[in-house]
Each structure stands twice: as C-alpha cells, then as structure tokens.
Amino acid sequence: MINFEEELKRFQPIPEVNQAEDAIYSNDLKDISDIVFQVTEEMKSASEDVANRMVGRVRR
Amino acid sequence: MATKKPVLCPNCGAHIKKNGYCSACHMPLPVLKKAFNTSDYYYNIGYDRAVARDLSGAIDSLNISLRYNKKNIMSRNLLGLVYYEMGEIVNALSQWVMSVNYQLNGNLASKYLKELRQDPTLLANVDQIAQKYNLALSYARSEDFDLSIIQLKSLLSANPHFVKGYLLLALLYINSDNYERARTTLRRVLKIDKANTLAIHYLHEMGDTDENIIEMSKESVENDGLLDADEEAITLSTMGKKNGSRVKMFFGDLVERYKAKAVSRGEYGEISLAKYSGIYVLLGMVLGIFLLYFIVVPAQKRKITDEKDKLIKSYSEELADKNATINSLTNDIANLNAELEAANNPDTAGDNPLPDYSGIQNGMSDEDLQNMINNE
C-alpha cells in the first residue's frame, strides 16, 4: 500500500529560472578525468613530500 | 616518408609523452581513452532510450555517460533535450549552458538557447510553472489537497509535458481514493515517459498488472477529461496550450536532428496517420459523391432515355400494324355487308332501281297515280 507521507518526500521543489545559475554550479560533477587528475596530483605531492623528507634527512 | 602526427591529450590538449602520460596534466592516455569510449557507449544507450521514449532510462544512461566524460557535448545536449521534453526546463537550460561553456562553436546547444531566448514569454511561463509546482507541493505537505490539485491542473494545462506535476497529481488522487483519475493521470505520464518507474510503481500498488499497464500506455490520452474539469481555475490555458504544443514540436524537431547525426541502430516508434483518418474518410466521401453525380448518374440517365425511346418506337410500330389490320377488316366487313344485302334482295339489285315517287302530291286521284306509274 502506498504511504502518502513517504511518497510525498520523494517530491522536491524544482528550481525557478532565477535559481538556474545555482543549478548550473551544483551540476558541475566530477568525471573520470577529474578523479584521475586528483589522484595523480595527490601522488605527485606525496612523492614530493617523501623527496623533501629524504633531502632533510640527508642534510641532517 | 610521412611524418608522425603528435598525439594530443584529450583533457588539456598538450603533447603526450612516449610513456603515455600527458606532458602538462600528467594524465594517462589509455585511461582517458577508455573513459571517453565508455562515455560514448552510454550516450548511444541513452540515445536509443530517448528515441524509444524511455526518457527516465535515457536520463540515467546520459548521466553515467557524463560521469565518464563531463565534456561529452552530445550527451549533455541530449540530456538537456530530455529534460526539456519532461517539462524540466531549468534543468535543460543548465545542461545546455554547460555544454556551450565546454564548446562554443558548432554546438547545437547554442541554437537551442537562442531559440529559447527568442521567446521571452516562454521563460516567464517556465518560471510561473515552477512557482506553481512548488506552491502545489507546499499545499500537499500542509494537507490542502484541493488547492494543490487546482494548482497542479493549472500548471499542467500550461505545460502538458510536466511529468513531475502528473506524478504529484496522481499521488494526490490516490490519497483521496480517486483511483480512476489517478490512472488517467499516470497514463499521461506513460505517454511521455514509457517506463517511468514511479508511475509504474503507483499502478502496481493500485492493482494493475504489467499487461494492463502496457495496454494503458497504448490508449489515447486526448479528451480524457483530466484537465477539463476545472477549466475556470486555469489562468494560463491559452498561452499554455500554445507552449505545450511548442514543447512537443521542439522535441520532435530536435530528435530528428539527432537522428540525422547519430549512427543508425534500428528504427523506433511508428508514424501514426490515425489523426488524419477523419480527413481521409471525408475526402473519400466527397470524391464518391463527385463520381456519383458527374459520372454514374448521367450514364444511368442516358441509358434510361435510350430504353424509353426504343420502347416508344416498338409500341408505335405495333400500333401502326394494328391500325392497318383494323382498316382492312373494316373494309372487309363493309364488302361483306354489301354482298349480304345484295343476296337478301335479288329483285332490287342490279339494273332495276326503285321508281321515283318525288312527283306525288297530296290530293292526287287514283287515276293520276296510275298514269304516273305507267309513265314511269
């Protein structure tokens, strides 16, 4: 049996025309290339950290 | 010897190094290629679903396609188009604006946005529809169901393709145990989006089987009386119907353009000529009447006249024969009578005619009479 209250929760207000800009900004999702780019940047910074630590140890 | 063309990064456009990584963004080329191919694959699925009017399925596929490549212009444009067809024009606008942002030249989305910009009343109506829907939703949440239904009917008259509005209206009808109205409303949803999961869920909950639902989606929704009952409450009816047909025309036009561009993968849908059947019947009747009055009737008249003339001629000939026979028989009778009379009176016949008594006068004596006879 349909639970009206539960079903009503599925319906959300729709954006009006003056809220279209917000809809555009909120719609900018991440794709595979963004994720790969993020992962490579993290790996790059991690490797730089390791290199800096190594250099610090050598200097000491 | 041909020079080898340098491979460019599809992400940033820089050169790809020999190890397969981009020299600027350090992205691995094989991964990007695989992602872009997968994006195109899901675009094709989304396209097929959109053409088969499984719009919610198309939205799912196109969103997956954009997850693999957010710069897939075809996917984004088609997603906007599907949103437009389902009456979610703000979402359509946002997809097209982002598409134009990624690629300005040679992008169909520029044309769509231009067409929308040329009609400022359409955008005003879109805004009004969104406001009405949000108001109807707030009425429903505060249990003012009648007001909510009036608002929904008003906005659906303005935009008959707004699927979310139909779904909310159906839910309100189900809540008020008006199942027939709910079915009529959901049938309209299935006409726009053949496999709308929420509509099918509601129909299943009302006890409809899958076969019933398939049959229901084939039935016509015209003149189902869903939006006619409260017409006095509708304020946007004239403008709205115009826009509704415009939405339909716009989607049809754009799907045709997509068909021309996409790789053909089979035919979907049917060209229905049923709406012209009345005109065809009328034309057939007019043609039939024309043939009857100008070809068949004159031929029949001519045939009847010929037959009549032949009949008159034959009767005239027969009459003349009869008259001739009568005349000859009359003559025969006269001759025979004369012969009969001659046979009955042999004395008076021949050379002795009766004496002339014209000289007899009153008062003559017997003697004078005898003299007169003797003289004769």
Side-chain angles (χ1 to χ4, degrees):
Chain A
M1 192 60 200
I2 292 173
N3 184 339
F4 180 73
E5 298 298 330
E6 288 299 316
E7 292 295 329
L8 201 56
K9 284 178 189 169
R10 290 178 190 242
F11 293 90
Q12 296 300 322
I14 59 168
E16 295 168 18
V17 173
N18 54 10
Q19 296 166 334
E21 199 178 348
D22 300 335
I24 290 167
Y25 283 122
S26 65
N27 208 354
D28 191 15
L29 49 84
K30 276 185 181 176
D31 65 353
I32 293 282
S33 56
D34 287 333
I35 294 165
V36 172
F37 183 73
Q38 192 180 340
V39 169
T40 50
E41 286 295 308
E42 282 173 8
M43 285 172 68
K44 203 174 154 187
S45 63
S47 63
E48 279 173 1
D49 279 352
V50 170
N52 286 340
R53 276 182 210 157
M54 292 289 284
V55 169
R57 277 184 192 175
V58 169
R59 281 181 184 167
R60 259 188 263 156
Chain B
M1 190 179 161
T3 53
K4 201 174 178 183
K5 209 175 176 181
V7 181
L8 301 177
C9 174
N11 188 45
C12 65
H15 288 279
I16 298 289
K17 290 188 285 189
K18 280 183 182 174
N19 60 3
Y21 284 79
C22 174
S23 56
C25 65
H26 310 291
M27 301 277 270
L29 183 64
V31 174
L32 288 180
K33 275 189 173 173
K34 181 77 180 166
F36 286 15
N37 283 340
T38 312
S39 175
D40 288 343
Y41 170 75
Y42 277 105
Y43 162 74
N44 283 336
I45 293 174
Y47 168 75
D48 286 344
R49 285 179 167 177
V51 172
R53 276 218 162 262
D54 174 11
L55 299 187
S56 43
I59 288 176
D60 291 343
S61 300
L62 293 169
N63 274 325
I64 295 172
S65 169
L66 292 174
R67 283 271 173 201
Y68 281 98
N69 178 14
K70 67 180 179 183
K71 294 177 185 174
N72 191 331
I73 300 302
M74 296 288 277
S75 292
R76 210 168 266 282
N77 291 353
L78 185 57
L79 184 59
L81 198 57
V82 173
Y83 277 134
Y84 193 95
E85 175 65 3
M86 291 176 79
E88 297 175 35
I89 304 197
V90 174
N91 283 336
L93 277 174
S94 69
Q95 294 298 333
W96 290 337
V97 167
M98 285 169 73
S99 170
V100 170
N101 191 39
Y102 287 128
Q103 183 187 321
L104 186 59
N105 297 322
N107 190 343
L108 264 178
S110 310
K111 193 173 184 325
Y112 304 157
L113 289 173
K114 193 180 168 190
E115 283 193 27
L116 282 179
R117 236 179 276 128
Q118 281 172 349
D119 192 356
T121 54
L122 178 67
L123 281 180
N125 282 335
V126 166
D127 205 29
Q128 208 170 355
I129 287 165
Q131 286 171 2
K132 278 177 182 259
Y133 175 77
N134 294 339
L135 190 61
L137 192 58
S138 67
Y139 279 142
R141 283 178 177 162
S142 59
E143 299 186 0
D144 289 330
F145 301 131
D146 291 339
L147 284 174
S148 181
I149 287 173
I150 289 170
Q151 286 294 328
L152 287 169
K153 280 188 171 183
S154 168
L155 76 92
L156 289 171
S157 297
N159 185 357
H161 278 239
F162 189 46
V163 171
K164 279 186 179 174
Y166 283 121
L167 290 170
L168 182 56
L169 186 60
L171 183 63
L172 291 172
Y173 280 137
I174 291 168
N175 187 49
S176 58
D177 295 336
N178 196 343
Y179 295 116
E180 275 313 305
R181 281 259 168 192
R183 278 194 185 88
T184 311
T185 312
L186 293 172
R187 194 187 305 141
R188 286 200 174 208
V189 173
L190 295 178
K191 275 281 169 191
I192 300 164
D193 180 11
K194 274 185 184 172
N196 188 289
T197 47
L198 203 53
I200 291 170
H201 167 64
Y202 289 161
L203 286 168
H204 279 157
E205 289 293 331
M206 283 191 288
D208 287 293
T209 60
D210 288 336
E211 289 79 15
N212 285 350
I213 293 168
I214 291 167
E215 286 299 315
M216 194 185 286
S217 65
K218 287 176 185 170
E219 289 172 18
S220 170
V221 294
E222 285 176 13
N223 304 322
D224 60 3
L226 180 68
L227 303 176
D228 304 336
D230 292 334
E231 264 186 346
E232 59 274 11
I234 295 166
T235 53
L236 286 171
S237 58
T238 314
M239 183 66 75
K241 277 173 189 166
K242 202 174 154 189
N243 287 337
S245 61
R246 186 187 161 83
V247 168
K248 197 175 177 182
M249 188 185 73
F250 196 42
F251 184 76
D253 179 37
L254 298 182
V255 164
E256 283 303 316
R257 281 184 203 159
Y258 263 86
K259 271 183 186 174
K261 286 208 167 193
V263 178
S264 178
R265 292 169 63 110
E267 294 296 324
Y268 291 93
E270 292 173 357
I271 299 168
S272 172
L273 296 175
K275 59 184 174 181
Y276 299 120
S277 61
I279 296 169
Y280 292 151
V281 168
L282 201 65
L283 278 175
M285 284 172 71
V286 169
L287 195 64
I289 290 166
F290 178 80
L291 284 173
L292 195 70
Y293 275 95
F294 291 95
I295 294 172
V296 178
V297 169
Q300 285 292 328
K301 274 184 181 173
R302 206 176 305 121
K303 194 179 168 187
I304 289 167
T305 313
D306 289 348
E307 281 177 0
K308 198 170 71 181
D309 289 346
K310 278 181 188 173
L311 204 61
I312 289 169
K313 199 177 169 186
S314 69
Y315 282 144
S316 299
E317 285 171 355
E318 201 176 335
L319 194 64
D321 289 346
K322 297 283 182 193
N323 284 337
T325 313
I326 288 167
N327 286 337
S328 68
L329 288 174
T330 310
N331 290 335
D332 289 349
I333 289 168
N335 293 335
L336 288 171
N337 280 337
E339 282 174 16
L340 186 64
E341 197 175 344
N344 286 337
N345 300 311
D347 297 337
T348 56
D351 300 325
N352 297 317
L354 284 172
D356 185 9
Y357 296 113
S358 57
I360 296 173
Q361 293 176 356
N362 287 335
M364 289 179 75
S365 64
D366 291 340
E367 221 175 300
D368 293 336
L369 278 172
Q370 189 61 49
N371 290 335
M372 198 171 126
I373 289 165
N374 291 336
N375 290 337
E376 286 288 330

